[in-house]
Amino acid sequence: MTPGRKKLIVGNWKMNLSVHEASLYLHKLSDKIPVRRDVEVVLAPTLLALQPLSLQVNRRQFKLAVQNFYWRDHGAYTGEVSAAQLHSIADYAIIGHSERRHTFHESEKDIRSKVQAAVRNRIKPILCIGETASERSYGETNDVLRDQLTSGLANLTSDDLETLVIAYEPVWAIGTGDNANPSDVHGAVKVIRNELKHLYGTKATEAVRVLYGGSVKSSSAADYLAVKGVDGLLVGGASLDSHAFTEIVTKAHESTTEAKT
Ligand code: PGA
């Protein structure tokens, strides 16, 4: 593990669990996952459950993430919730997730505006980037990663980078069970780190954590966590299984203890 970068495991519950179920599930996870100094665990419940869970959660044990928000702070935007309203409820925000890019047609401009809104409201952005199956087949992965990174981070200063998290999530691997090969993840993470250095310099990018996401299971977590430059995982499906998610957090803890020995 790179000194100073704490491992990060994010559970993205997507549009699952009612408010009541989410509360029970948080209770269950609280019993299973101990507070660990070397691993930060972030839960991203449905927006409706975020506020009640923010009152229930022990923030030393879990941080909370919002799955989506609108980038303006206030105004006549019926049905939307802003980062300004989420400040002090959400610690992190997932931005640019492939389901938002592809199902809801979010543009690069939307994504960039959301990153800026999160930073402006002191919510840590988790910017998701990744290539589609067809981009991959045309050998465009590295270009896609560079483009999404440059565009998503436009207008951020190097000071803003301190709280930034990048999640490498190949679109074809999300929710498909078709997970990426650790050596491909290694290549992608290298491209991401090099591009960050190119944009902001080595020093400013040291604090940025880079995650892998896409069909992570408890059985594959350790392989990704062992990849150089990977600081954690963004977990969808397996985060809804308390046993699997606990195992994944344990693997993250073990990866830091192994790195120290
Ligand atoms: P998955 O989702 O683990 O179910 O593939 C990952 C994600 O959406 O971030």
Side-chain angles (χ1 to χ4, degrees):
M1 184 175 63
T2 310
R5 289 209 304 265
K6 209 186 224 194
K7 289 276 149 140
L8 178 61
I9 303 294
V10 183
N12 179 8
W13 298 355
K14 308 195 180 183
M15 201 175 68
N16 294 295
L17 307 181
S18 66
V19 173
H20 181 62
E21 287 164 345
S23 168
L24 292 178
Y25 190 50
L26 172 60
H27 191 76
K28 197 167 179 182
L29 291 179
S30 309
D31 284 344
K32 287 174 91 89
I33 300 179
V35 176
R36 286 206 166 101
R37 232 180 293 152
D38 53 1
V39 185
E40 189 173 7
V41 182
V42 176
L43 306 174
T46 176
L47 182 61
L48 206 55
L50 194 61
Q51 199 274 341
L53 292 200
S54 76
L55 302 176
Q56 179 185 339
V57 76
N58 169 0
R59 295 219 186 215
R60 284 186 54 241
Q61 191 172 23
F62 302 116
K63 302 281 193 290
L64 294 177
V66 65
Q67 295 177 16
N68 183 38
F69 61 94
Y70 186 50
W71 55 270
R72 290 195 193 269
D73 285 345
H74 309 278
Y77 302 103
T78 302
E80 295 297 328
V81 173
S82 72
Q85 293 169 318
L86 289 158
H87 168 73
S88 84
I89 295 176
D91 307 283
Y92 287 85
I94 298 174
I95 300 172
H97 190 281
S98 76
E99 286 149 19
R100 303 257 12 130
R101 289 179 192 261
H102 300 287
T103 312
F104 297 98
H105 311 292
E106 278 189 14
S107 68
E108 286 296 341
K109 181 180 175 299
D110 293 326
I111 292 162
R112 174 186 327 142
S113 302
K114 288 181 181 199
V115 171
Q116 286 172 250
V119 169
R120 182 166 73 238
N121 289 287
R122 292 194 293 285
I123 295 175
K124 298 172 185 151
I126 302 172
L127 174 64
C128 303
I129 60 174
E131 79 287 0
T132 62
S134 95
E135 288 163 342
R136 182 177 181 231
S137 70
Y138 285 113
E140 295 171 354
T141 299
N142 294 353
D143 289 335
V144 169
L145 295 178
R146 287 193 203 100
D147 288 351
Q148 291 183 347
L149 211 52
T150 311
S151 168
L153 302 181
N155 304 335
L156 286 201
T157 68
S158 44
D159 286 348
D160 298 331
L161 250 59
E162 218 162 276
T163 61
L164 179 72
V165 178
I166 304 291
Y168 170 54
E169 296 213 304
V171 178
W172 49 270
I174 298 177
T176 57
D178 189 9
N179 50 338
N181 184 317
S183 67
D184 291 342
V185 174
H186 180 238
V189 168
K190 226 165 126 182
V191 170
I192 292 169
R193 289 217 172 270
N194 283 341
E195 187 62 17
L196 286 170
K197 280 185 202 159
H198 171 70
L199 293 171
Y200 292 97
T202 308
K203 180 115 191 54
T205 56
E206 263 165 19
V208 179
R209 284 177 291 180
V210 180
L211 315 181
Y212 168 73
S215 297
V216 173
K217 308 246 169 348
S218 52
S219 53
S220 60
D223 293 342
Y224 294 116
L225 289 161
V227 172
K228 191 163 180 277
V230 169
D231 301 300
L233 303 167
L234 177 42
V235 186
S239 73
L240 292 165
D241 174 332
S242 64
H243 181 71
F245 192 63
T246 305
E247 282 266 312
I248 291 170
V249 175
T250 306
K251 295 272 166 32
H253 170 65
E254 286 169 1
S255 76
T256 71
T257 40
E258 274 158 24
K260 279 177 202 143
T261 52

